[in-house]
Amino acid sequence: MQVVLYSILILGAIGCIGAVVLFFTARRFEVKEDPRIDQVASLLAGANCGGCGFSGCRAFATEAVRRGNLKDINCPVSSADTMARIALILGCTVEVAQRNIAVLRCNGSCQARPQPYAYDGVRSCAVMDAAGVGESACAFGCLGCGDCVEVCRFGALSLDTATGLPVVDPDRCTACGACIAECPRHLLELRPTGRNDRRVWVACASRDRGAVARRICPSACIGCRKCEKACRFGAIDVADNLSYITAADCRACGACVSECPTGAILASFPIRNQSNDPQHIQ
Amino acid sequence: MIHSTFSKGGIHPAACKTTLSGIEALPLPRRAVVPLQQHIGAPARPIVAKGDSVRRGQLIAEAPYAMSAAVHAPVSGTVAALEDALMPDGRRRPCIVITADEATHDADETERMRYWLAIDSMATPDVDADTIKRRVARAGIVGMGGATFPSAIKLAPRDKVDLLIINGCECEPFLTCDDALMRAYPAKIIAGVQMMMKATAIDRAVIAIEDNKPEAAAALAAHAVSAAGVEVKILRTKYPQGGERQLIDAVSGRKVPSGAIPSAVGVIVHNVATAFAVWQAVSTDMPLIERVISISGDIPADQRRNYRAAIGTPFAEIPFTLPPDADTKIILGGPMMGKCTVTLDAPVTKGTSGITVLTDARRQPLMPCIRCGACVDACPMGLEPYLLETYGRLRRWDDARAADVADCIECGSCSWSCPSRRPLLDYIRRAKNRCRQR
């Protein structure tokens, strides 16, 4: 009995001394962290995708709280609602950021584009690109191995087995930019959306001369400048045999889409008077 | 006698060096496609326009940049176009296309034949270092072992150098173009080496040859006796002995630090074919418009030859019959480091060492890594290829960088040695390229 009593007393005494030491140590070395950082971080997605330009979600939260506002920083993944709640915590207003969605600047599906070369190496776009031009003769187009699909953490990309091209799910795309960094041919582009999330873009990156480009791929941009002339807003420029639509000037009217002789311009919405097959409308 | 070799790793692939001896002249092309970029650095700037008539050997694109190399007309004729033409990898690059007519073609062939018949009796002039460097730059000479680094830059090293190594290893299986050149023109190669020594003020040069080329070694050794400071060193055959760092280790025992260039340890390495081109440029004012290429592999034995081909000759004009096998691969260079060519319309360039035709070369199904360590034993850079492959596959770029992926020389020893046939180099190269970008 006595043994038990002594044990309890000694251990209790050690415990008390320890508690006192820990109490003062904790006071002495206390790190004061703004509780809002935790609150902001808990609202973020937690995927640490790096789309905001910081190393992860917590780094973004820390920076947001340090600044005290959401000016010039934005989490592309979070919805407008989430950003509004973060702004509420920070006590500032949120400026509605332009929503971006990734688009593929290639429309050379494996049905349309001849595949004169065989490739038997690793099915990775980066490896295939390092080995040469790929299975089709186009040195600029999509290689179709799905490196972008592998790096998308939001399930917004999938490979279409029929066309061999990746497809962007606009509802899931958060514009984090992971696929853009991954594509060895820089074919994915973040495009700001217009009214009703409308987007119009040139789905080709070929800088080959028109005749060569057309021989390699029937849906290539041949630099004919028809779209440039059709655009009433001066949003389209043709350089290096390739057309490009500047998103800031584009009103997403779709006039260029029906004008393109090769169907190289795609729109996210149905175009009236378009003679091309519905495959061009995503 | 046991000869020395490099210390770390290395493999022993079958040599397969079965080309016929001698160098044959390939007829000059009627239509030459001359790329503006046949070297590392900036593409040369064309100084001719469509419709201009050019003479064989005339400068057609100059190199006004810090790192570039001049390009000369390989045939006389008319500039048909300045256009993007197909390269072996299927991409299009800016080229100057020259078409020869009947009269100029015949005159060129006669002049060319006279030159090569008279070459043995041509004298080596005594010129100073600056003249040598100037003529090498003017002739557009680049490293002919495959790296295509502009030679004039290497002949003006910034560091203090005391050893010139001439690479006659030709460690790639199948290729014999350097071997053929060493056997045919040993005296001229030695004279070229002496010119390089003079240009760089180095008084010791070592010509390194693997022990599977005894004739070439004997021929060079016989002529090196009378050349002060030039010696021939025979090395034990092992791949990749022709790698710059491996060769320096094998010859001198010096180790080039990671990220440094050979001149950091006082060494410059040049290829034997470059030495010969230097002699041609300095002694005969001949720009680099021809080179020796090896045609080898799974083609009839009498077609495996070394040709003296004009730069710009389309591969289709080289006489060899492709096997009917659908899985045939036409590899530019040797099987270890060479890349498949997708077209025979692409032209011979300054860096083309040959063509290797392989049947039955389709990739075998791969199996899981069994952690046997064969790749670690094989890696001549002392890396851990299985680890780098994993990092490359899982996109762990930072880890790959920390594991020194940038030191990989892409020799392919790891992929060759893997019993599970894993595509180690493919993933390592992916990681290496990504780390270089970021």
Side-chain angles (χ1 to χ4, degrees), chain B residues 95-127:
Chain B
C95 293
I96 298 175
V97 182
I98 303 169
T99 47
D101 58 44
E102 211 58 51
T104 56
H105 187 265
D106 290 348
D108 276 353
E109 285 288 15
T110 317
E111 189 196 326
R112 182 190 188 204
M113 198 162 67
R114 281 214 193 102
Y115 175 86
W116 287 105
L117 283 175
I119 196 160
D120 283 330
S121 57
M122 285 182 195
T124 303
D126 187 30
V127 288

PDB file of all heavy atoms in Angstrom, chain B residues 95-127:
ATOM      1  N   CYS B  95      16.754  26.131 -94.285  1.00  0.00           N
ATOM      2  CA  CYS B  95      17.832  25.548 -95.087  1.00  0.00           C
ATOM      3  C   CYS B  95      18.038  26.393 -96.343  1.00  0.00           C
ATOM      4  O   CYS B  95      17.150  27.127 -96.762  1.00  0.00           O
ATOM      5  CB  CYS B  95      17.463  24.137 -95.545  1.00  0.00           C
ATOM      6  SG  CYS B  95      17.360  22.951 -94.218  1.00  0.00           S
ATOM      7  N   ILE B  96      19.230  26.232 -96.930  1.00  0.00           N
ATOM      8  CA  ILE B  96      19.479  26.793 -98.252  1.00  0.00           C
ATOM      9  C   ILE B  96      19.506  25.615 -99.218  1.00  0.00           C
ATOM     10  O   ILE B  96      20.254  24.669 -99.015  1.00  0.00           O
ATOM     11  CB  ILE B  96      20.816  27.561 -98.286  1.00  0.00           C
ATOM     12  CG1 ILE B  96      20.771  28.734 -97.301  1.00  0.00           C
ATOM     13  CG2 ILE B  96      21.117  28.044 -99.708  1.00  0.00           C
ATOM     14  CD1 ILE B  96      22.070  29.489 -97.176  1.00  0.00           C
ATOM     15  N   VAL B  97      18.655  25.655-100.226  1.00  0.00           N
ATOM     16  CA  VAL B  97      18.592  24.557-101.194  1.00  0.00           C
ATOM     17  C   VAL B  97      19.332  24.987-102.453  1.00  0.00           C
ATOM     18  O   VAL B  97      19.047  26.043-103.020  1.00  0.00           O
ATOM     19  CB  VAL B  97      17.130  24.202-101.523  1.00  0.00           C
ATOM     20  CG1 VAL B  97      17.074  23.032-102.496  1.00  0.00           C
ATOM     21  CG2 VAL B  97      16.362  23.877-100.254  1.00  0.00           C
ATOM     22  N   ILE B  98      20.323  24.172-102.852  1.00  0.00           N
ATOM     23  CA  ILE B  98      21.105  24.491-104.046  1.00  0.00           C
ATOM     24  C   ILE B  98      20.897  23.391-105.079  1.00  0.00           C
ATOM     25  O   ILE B  98      21.035  22.211-104.760  1.00  0.00           O
ATOM     26  CB  ILE B  98      22.608  24.597-103.714  1.00  0.00           C
ATOM     27  CG1 ILE B  98      22.837  25.648-102.620  1.00  0.00           C
ATOM     28  CG2 ILE B  98      23.430  24.938-104.957  1.00  0.00           C
ATOM     29  CD1 ILE B  98      24.225  25.628-102.047  1.00  0.00           C
ATOM     30  N   THR B  99      20.549  23.796-106.305  1.00  0.00           N
ATOM     31  CA  THR B  99      20.427  22.794-107.363  1.00  0.00           C
ATOM     32  C   THR B  99      21.598  22.959-108.335  1.00  0.00           C
ATOM     33  O   THR B  99      21.962  24.079-108.704  1.00  0.00           O
ATOM     34  CB  THR B  99      19.100  22.934-108.139  1.00  0.00           C
ATOM     35  OG1 THR B  99      18.914  24.312-108.470  1.00  0.00           O
ATOM     36  CG2 THR B  99      17.934  22.461-107.319  1.00  0.00           C
ATOM     37  N   ALA B 100      22.188  21.818-108.703  1.00  0.00           N
ATOM     38  CA  ALA B 100      23.321  21.844-109.627  1.00  0.00           C
ATOM     39  C   ALA B 100      22.828  21.479-111.014  1.00  0.00           C
ATOM     40  O   ALA B 100      21.933  20.647-111.157  1.00  0.00           O
ATOM     41  CB  ALA B 100      24.373  20.834-109.170  1.00  0.00           C
ATOM     42  N   ASP B 101      23.393  22.116-112.048  1.00  0.00           N
ATOM     43  CA  ASP B 101      23.056  21.655-113.396  1.00  0.00           C
ATOM     44  C   ASP B 101      24.168  20.720-113.886  1.00  0.00           C
ATOM     45  O   ASP B 101      25.183  20.535-113.223  1.00  0.00           O
ATOM     46  CB  ASP B 101      22.785  22.825-114.351  1.00  0.00           C
ATOM     47  CG  ASP B 101      23.965  23.759-114.456  1.00  0.00           C
ATOM     48  OD1 ASP B 101      25.098  23.262-114.569  1.00  0.00           O
ATOM     49  OD2 ASP B 101      23.748  24.994-114.410  1.00  0.00           O
ATOM     50  N   GLU B 102      23.962  20.143-115.056  1.00  0.00           N
ATOM     51  CA  GLU B 102      24.849  19.093-115.568  1.00  0.00           C
ATOM     52  C   GLU B 102      26.310  19.557-115.626  1.00  0.00           C
ATOM     53  O   GLU B 102      27.219  18.865-115.152  1.00  0.00           O
ATOM     54  CB  GLU B 102      24.357  18.684-116.968  1.00  0.00           C
ATOM     55  CG  GLU B 102      24.617  17.237-117.316  1.00  0.00           C
ATOM     56  CD  GLU B 102      23.964  16.293-116.321  1.00  0.00           C
ATOM     57  OE1 GLU B 102      22.754  16.421-116.027  1.00  0.00           O
ATOM     58  OE2 GLU B 102      24.686  15.426-115.818  1.00  0.00           O
ATOM     59  N   ALA B 103      26.525  20.761-116.182  1.00  0.00           N
ATOM     60  CA  ALA B 103      27.888  21.245-116.396  1.00  0.00           C
ATOM     61  C   ALA B 103      28.611  21.477-115.073  1.00  0.00           C
ATOM     62  O   ALA B 103      29.732  21.008-114.868  1.00  0.00           O
ATOM     63  CB  ALA B 103      27.845  22.536-117.215  1.00  0.00           C
ATOM     64  N   THR B 104      27.928  22.177-114.127  1.00  0.00           N
ATOM     65  CA  THR B 104      28.587  22.469-112.853  1.00  0.00           C
ATOM     66  C   THR B 104      28.823  21.190-112.064  1.00  0.00           C
ATOM     67  O   THR B 104      29.823  21.037-111.379  1.00  0.00           O
ATOM     68  CB  THR B 104      27.732  23.439-112.019  1.00  0.00           C
ATOM     69  OG1 THR B 104      26.437  22.874-111.844  1.00  0.00           O
ATOM     70  CG2 THR B 104      27.615  24.795-112.676  1.00  0.00           C
ATOM     71  N   HIS B 105      27.886  20.256-112.183  1.00  0.00           N
ATOM     72  CA  HIS B 105      28.009  19.000-111.454  1.00  0.00           C
ATOM     73  C   HIS B 105      29.264  18.236-111.895  1.00  0.00           C
ATOM     74  O   HIS B 105      30.056  17.780-111.071  1.00  0.00           O
ATOM     75  CB  HIS B 105      26.752  18.156-111.682  1.00  0.00           C
ATOM     76  CG  HIS B 105      26.700  16.920-110.850  1.00  0.00           C
ATOM     77  ND1 HIS B 105      27.123  15.704-111.312  1.00  0.00           N
ATOM     78  CD2 HIS B 105      26.310  16.726-109.569  1.00  0.00           C
ATOM     79  CE1 HIS B 105      26.983  14.804-110.359  1.00  0.00           C
ATOM     80  NE2 HIS B 105      26.486  15.396-109.294  1.00  0.00           N
ATOM     81  N   ASP B 106      29.443  18.121-113.212  1.00  0.00           N
ATOM     82  CA  ASP B 106      30.612  17.399-113.729  1.00  0.00           C
ATOM     83  C   ASP B 106      31.907  18.105-113.347  1.00  0.00           C
ATOM     84  O   ASP B 106      32.890  17.464-112.959  1.00  0.00           O
ATOM     85  CB  ASP B 106      30.514  17.266-115.260  1.00  0.00           C
ATOM     86  CG  ASP B 106      29.398  16.309-115.655  1.00  0.00           C
ATOM     87  OD1 ASP B 106      28.887  15.614-114.745  1.00  0.00           O
ATOM     88  OD2 ASP B 106      29.038  16.269-116.841  1.00  0.00           O
ATOM     89  N   ALA B 107      31.901  19.444-113.445  1.00  0.00           N
ATOM     90  CA  ALA B 107      33.106  20.199-113.093  1.00  0.00           C
ATOM     91  C   ALA B 107      33.450  20.007-111.619  1.00  0.00           C
ATOM     92  O   ALA B 107      34.616  19.829-111.249  1.00  0.00           O
ATOM     93  CB  ALA B 107      32.884  21.678-113.406  1.00  0.00           C
ATOM     94  N   ASP B 108      32.422  20.031-110.786  1.00  0.00           N
ATOM     95  CA  ASP B 108      32.626  19.816-109.346  1.00  0.00           C
ATOM     96  C   ASP B 108      33.229  18.442-109.070  1.00  0.00           C
ATOM     97  O   ASP B 108      34.161  18.300-108.283  1.00  0.00           O
ATOM     98  CB  ASP B 108      31.277  19.904-108.614  1.00  0.00           C
ATOM     99  CG  ASP B 108      30.891  21.328-108.291  1.00  0.00           C
ATOM    100  OD1 ASP B 108      31.738  22.221-108.511  1.00  0.00           O
ATOM    101  OD2 ASP B 108      29.762  21.541-107.825  1.00  0.00           O
ATOM    102  N   GLU B 109      32.667  17.428-109.730  1.00  0.00           N
ATOM    103  CA  GLU B 109      33.146  16.063-109.499  1.00  0.00           C
ATOM    104  C   GLU B 109      34.613  15.921-109.901  1.00  0.00           C
ATOM    105  O   GLU B 109      35.406  15.272-109.205  1.00  0.00           O
ATOM    106  CB  GLU B 109      32.284  15.047-110.266  1.00  0.00           C
ATOM    107  CG  GLU B 109      30.919  14.781-109.651  1.00  0.00           C
ATOM    108  CD  GLU B 109      30.956  13.967-108.361  1.00  0.00           C
ATOM    109  OE1 GLU B 109      32.037  13.831-107.755  1.00  0.00           O
ATOM    110  OE2 GLU B 109      29.883  13.482-107.946  1.00  0.00           O
ATOM    111  N   THR B 110      34.980  16.527-111.035  1.00  0.00           N
ATOM    112  CA  THR B 110      36.371  16.454-111.498  1.00  0.00           C
ATOM    113  C   THR B 110      37.305  17.134-110.500  1.00  0.00           C
ATOM    114  O   THR B 110      38.323  16.573-110.101  1.00  0.00           O
ATOM    115  CB  THR B 110      36.506  17.159-112.870  1.00  0.00           C
ATOM    116  OG1 THR B 110      35.397  16.779-113.672  1.00  0.00           O
ATOM    117  CG2 THR B 110      37.805  16.801-113.540  1.00  0.00           C
ATOM    118  N   GLU B 111      36.890  18.313-110.073  1.00  0.00           N
ATOM    119  CA  GLU B 111      37.708  19.079-109.126  1.00  0.00           C
ATOM    120  C   GLU B 111      37.860  18.327-107.808  1.00  0.00           C
ATOM    121  O   GLU B 111      38.931  18.241-107.224  1.00  0.00           O
ATOM    122  CB  GLU B 111      37.022  20.430-108.890  1.00  0.00           C
ATOM    123  CG  GLU B 111      37.855  21.424-108.100  1.00  0.00           C
ATOM    124  CD  GLU B 111      36.982  22.558-107.586  1.00  0.00           C
ATOM    125  OE1 GLU B 111      36.019  22.936-108.274  1.00  0.00           O
ATOM    126  OE2 GLU B 111      37.262  23.047-106.482  1.00  0.00           O
ATOM    127  N   ARG B 112      36.751  17.711-107.390  1.00  0.00           N
ATOM    128  CA  ARG B 112      36.753  16.973-106.135  1.00  0.00           C
ATOM    129  C   ARG B 112      37.682  15.757-106.220  1.00  0.00           C
ATOM    130  O   ARG B 112      38.463  15.482-105.323  1.00  0.00           O
ATOM    131  CB  ARG B 112      35.314  16.522-105.862  1.00  0.00           C
ATOM    132  CG  ARG B 112      35.100  15.784-104.569  1.00  0.00           C
ATOM    133  CD  ARG B 112      33.707  15.215-104.613  1.00  0.00           C
ATOM    134  NE  ARG B 112      33.284  14.624-103.371  1.00  0.00           N
ATOM    135  CZ  ARG B 112      32.342  13.680-103.300  1.00  0.00           C
ATOM    136  NH1 ARG B 112      31.768  13.249-104.411  1.00  0.00           N
ATOM    137  NH2 ARG B 112      31.983  13.181-102.153  1.00  0.00           N
ATOM    138  N   MET B 113      37.612  15.056-107.367  1.00  0.00           N
ATOM    139  CA  MET B 113      38.436  13.862-107.544  1.00  0.00           C
ATOM    140  C   MET B 113      39.913  14.247-107.541  1.00  0.00           C
ATOM    141  O   MET B 113      40.732  13.594-106.898  1.00  0.00           O
ATOM    142  CB  MET B 113      38.056  13.174-108.853  1.00  0.00           C
ATOM    143  CG  MET B 113      38.510  11.737-108.967  1.00  0.00           C
ATOM    144  SD  MET B 113      37.598  10.898-110.261  1.00  0.00           S
ATOM    145  CE  MET B 113      38.196  11.738-111.712  1.00  0.00           C
ATOM    146  N   ARG B 114      40.238  15.342-108.229  1.00  0.00           N
ATOM    147  CA  ARG B 114      41.626  15.825-108.267  1.00  0.00           C
ATOM    148  C   ARG B 114      42.126  16.122-106.865  1.00  0.00           C
ATOM    149  O   ARG B 114      43.226  15.765-106.491  1.00  0.00           O
ATOM    150  CB  ARG B 114      41.725  17.108-109.104  1.00  0.00           C
ATOM    151  CG  ARG B 114      41.720  16.853-110.579  1.00  0.00           C
ATOM    152  CD  ARG B 114      42.593  17.874-111.313  1.00  0.00           C
ATOM    153  NE  ARG B 114      42.322  17.773-112.732  1.00  0.00           N
ATOM    154  CZ  ARG B 114      41.541  18.632-113.393  1.00  0.00           C
ATOM    155  NH1 ARG B 114      41.040  19.682-112.775  1.00  0.00           N
ATOM    156  NH2 ARG B 114      41.298  18.459-114.659  1.00  0.00           N
ATOM    157  N   TYR B 115      41.276  16.785-106.090  1.00  0.00           N
ATOM    158  CA  TYR B 115      41.663  17.176-104.727  1.00  0.00           C
ATOM    159  C   TYR B 115      42.014  15.949-103.895  1.00  0.00           C
ATOM    160  O   TYR B 115      43.059  15.875-103.265  1.00  0.00           O
ATOM    161  CB  TYR B 115      40.521  17.962-104.082  1.00  0.00           C
ATOM    162  CG  TYR B 115      40.757  18.326-102.629  1.00  0.00           C
ATOM    163  CD1 TYR B 115      41.454  19.475-102.283  1.00  0.00           C
ATOM    164  CD2 TYR B 115      40.275  17.516-101.595  1.00  0.00           C
ATOM    165  CE1 TYR B 115      41.663  19.814-100.960  1.00  0.00           C
ATOM    166  CE2 TYR B 115      40.482  17.847-100.276  1.00  0.00           C
ATOM    167  CZ  TYR B 115      41.170  19.000 -99.949  1.00  0.00           C
ATOM    168  OH  TYR B 115      41.377  19.321 -98.635  1.00  0.00           O
ATOM    169  N   TRP B 116      41.114  14.935-103.922  1.00  0.00           N
ATOM    170  CA  TRP B 116      41.341  13.774-103.053  1.00  0.00           C
ATOM    171  C   TRP B 116      42.467  12.890-103.562  1.00  0.00           C
ATOM    172  O   TRP B 116      43.117  12.196-102.772  1.00  0.00           O
ATOM    173  CB  TRP B 116      40.041  12.982-102.876  1.00  0.00           C
ATOM    174  CG  TRP B 116      39.099  13.725-101.975  1.00  0.00           C
ATOM    175  CD1 TRP B 116      37.998  14.412-102.363  1.00  0.00           C
ATOM    176  CD2 TRP B 116      39.221  13.911-100.560  1.00  0.00           C
ATOM    177  NE1 TRP B 116      37.413  15.018-101.275  1.00  0.00           N
ATOM    178  CE2 TRP B 116      38.143  14.724-100.154  1.00  0.00           C
ATOM    179  CE3 TRP B 116      40.129  13.462 -99.605  1.00  0.00           C
ATOM    180  CZ2 TRP B 116      37.946  15.102 -98.838  1.00  0.00           C
ATOM    181  CZ3 TRP B 116      39.933  13.832 -98.286  1.00  0.00           C
ATOM    182  CH2 TRP B 116      38.857  14.650 -97.911  1.00  0.00           C
ATOM    183  N   LEU B 117      42.749  12.899-104.875  1.00  0.00           N
ATOM    184  CA  LEU B 117      43.874  12.131-105.395  1.00  0.00           C
ATOM    185  C   LEU B 117      45.189  12.778-104.992  1.00  0.00           C
ATOM    186  O   LEU B 117      46.178  12.092-104.741  1.00  0.00           O
ATOM    187  CB  LEU B 117      43.789  12.031-106.924  1.00  0.00           C
ATOM    188  CG  LEU B 117      42.777  11.028-107.468  1.00  0.00           C
ATOM    189  CD1 LEU B 117      42.709  11.116-108.984  1.00  0.00           C
ATOM    190  CD2 LEU B 117      43.133   9.605-107.033  1.00  0.00           C
ATOM    191  N   ALA B 118      45.171  14.106-104.912  1.00  0.00           N
ATOM    192  CA  ALA B 118      46.418  14.821-104.657  1.00  0.00           C
ATOM    193  C   ALA B 118      46.686  15.048-103.179  1.00  0.00           C
ATOM    194  O   ALA B 118      47.733  15.557-102.800  1.00  0.00           O
ATOM    195  CB  ALA B 118      46.383  16.157-105.395  1.00  0.00           C
ATOM    196  N   ILE B 119      45.713  14.654-102.328  1.00  0.00           N
ATOM    197  CA  ILE B 119      45.793  15.084-100.932  1.00  0.00           C
ATOM    198  C   ILE B 119      47.051  14.583-100.220  1.00  0.00           C
ATOM    199  O   ILE B 119      47.644  15.289 -99.404  1.00  0.00           O
ATOM    200  CB  ILE B 119      44.506  14.695-100.172  1.00  0.00           C
ATOM    201  CG1 ILE B 119      44.426  15.477 -98.861  1.00  0.00           C
ATOM    202  CG2 ILE B 119      44.409  13.206 -99.930  1.00  0.00           C
ATOM    203  CD1 ILE B 119      43.060  15.571 -98.273  1.00  0.00           C
ATOM    204  N   ASP B 120      47.500  13.366-100.562  1.00  0.00           N
ATOM    205  CA  ASP B 120      48.667  12.812 -99.871  1.00  0.00           C
ATOM    206  C   ASP B 120      49.925  13.633-100.114  1.00  0.00           C
ATOM    207  O   ASP B 120      50.805  13.702 -99.269  1.00  0.00           O
ATOM    208  CB  ASP B 120      48.888  11.356-100.304  1.00  0.00           C
ATOM    209  CG  ASP B 120      47.885  10.442 -99.611  1.00  0.00           C
ATOM    210  OD1 ASP B 120      47.480  10.788 -98.479  1.00  0.00           O
ATOM    211  OD2 ASP B 120      47.498   9.428-100.202  1.00  0.00           O
ATOM    212  N   SER B 121      50.001  14.235-101.310  1.00  0.00           N
ATOM    213  CA  SER B 121      51.212  14.980-101.631  1.00  0.00           C
ATOM    214  C   SER B 121      51.112  16.450-101.234  1.00  0.00           C
ATOM    215  O   SER B 121      52.052  17.213-101.428  1.00  0.00           O
ATOM    216  CB  SER B 121      51.497  14.870-103.129  1.00  0.00           C
ATOM    217  OG  SER B 121      50.374  15.336-103.835  1.00  0.00           O
ATOM    218  N   MET B 122      49.981  16.851-100.684  1.00  0.00           N
ATOM    219  CA  MET B 122      49.833  18.266-100.330  1.00  0.00           C
ATOM    220  C   MET B 122      50.662  18.593 -99.094  1.00  0.00           C
ATOM    221  O   MET B 122      50.705  17.828 -98.134  1.00  0.00           O
ATOM    222  CB  MET B 122      48.365  18.598-100.067  1.00  0.00           C
ATOM    223  CG  MET B 122      47.537  18.684-101.329  1.00  0.00           C
ATOM    224  SD  MET B 122      45.860  19.136-100.930  1.00  0.00           S
ATOM    225  CE  MET B 122      45.043  18.738-102.452  1.00  0.00           C
ATOM    226  N   ALA B 123      51.291  19.761 -99.148  1.00  0.00           N
ATOM    227  CA  ALA B 123      52.201  20.148 -98.065  1.00  0.00           C
ATOM    228  C   ALA B 123      51.415  20.778 -96.921  1.00  0.00           C
ATOM    229  O   ALA B 123      50.304  21.257 -97.101  1.00  0.00           O
ATOM    230  CB  ALA B 123      53.225  21.135 -98.601  1.00  0.00           C
ATOM    231  N   THR B 124      52.020  20.740 -95.745  1.00  0.00           N
ATOM    232  CA  THR B 124      51.438  21.402 -94.583  1.00  0.00           C
ATOM    233  C   THR B 124      52.181  22.710 -94.372  1.00  0.00           C
ATOM    234  O   THR B 124      53.377  22.696 -94.096  1.00  0.00           O
ATOM    235  CB  THR B 124      51.579  20.508 -93.339  1.00  0.00           C
ATOM    236  OG1 THR B 124      50.949  19.264 -93.617  1.00  0.00           O
ATOM    237  CG2 THR B 124      50.939  21.157 -92.131  1.00  0.00           C
ATOM    238  N   PRO B 125      51.501  23.857 -94.539  1.00  0.00           N
ATOM    239  CA  PRO B 125      52.209  25.127 -94.413  1.00  0.00           C
ATOM    240  C   PRO B 125      52.524  25.455 -92.955  1.00  0.00           C
ATOM    241  O   PRO B 125      51.878  24.942 -92.037  1.00  0.00           O
ATOM    242  CB  PRO B 125      51.212  26.133 -94.987  1.00  0.00           C
ATOM    243  CG  PRO B 125      49.884  25.519 -94.703  1.00  0.00           C
ATOM    244  CD  PRO B 125      50.067  24.039 -94.758  1.00  0.00           C
ATOM    245  N   ASP B 126      53.538  26.300 -92.788  1.00  0.00           N
ATOM    246  CA  ASP B 126      53.890  26.720 -91.440  1.00  0.00           C
ATOM    247  C   ASP B 126      53.203  28.059 -91.177  1.00  0.00           C
ATOM    248  O   ASP B 126      53.614  29.086 -91.721  1.00  0.00           O
ATOM    249  CB  ASP B 126      55.416  26.845 -91.321  1.00  0.00           C
ATOM    250  CG  ASP B 126      55.829  27.106 -89.888  1.00  0.00           C
ATOM    251  OD1 ASP B 126      55.108  26.651 -88.971  1.00  0.00           O
ATOM    252  OD2 ASP B 126      56.858  27.775 -89.683  1.00  0.00           O
ATOM    253  N   VAL B 127      52.129  28.036 -90.419  1.00  0.00           N
ATOM    254  CA  VAL B 127      51.385  29.278 -90.178  1.00  0.00           C
ATOM    255  C   VAL B 127      51.294  29.534 -88.671  1.00  0.00           C
ATOM    256  O   VAL B 127      51.479  28.618 -87.865  1.00  0.00           O
ATOM    257  CB  VAL B 127      49.958  29.203 -90.770  1.00  0.00           C
ATOM    258  CG1 VAL B 127      49.994  29.267 -92.282  1.00  0.00           C
ATOM    259  CG2 VAL B 127      49.257  27.950 -90.305  1.00  0.00           C
TER     260      VAL B 127
END
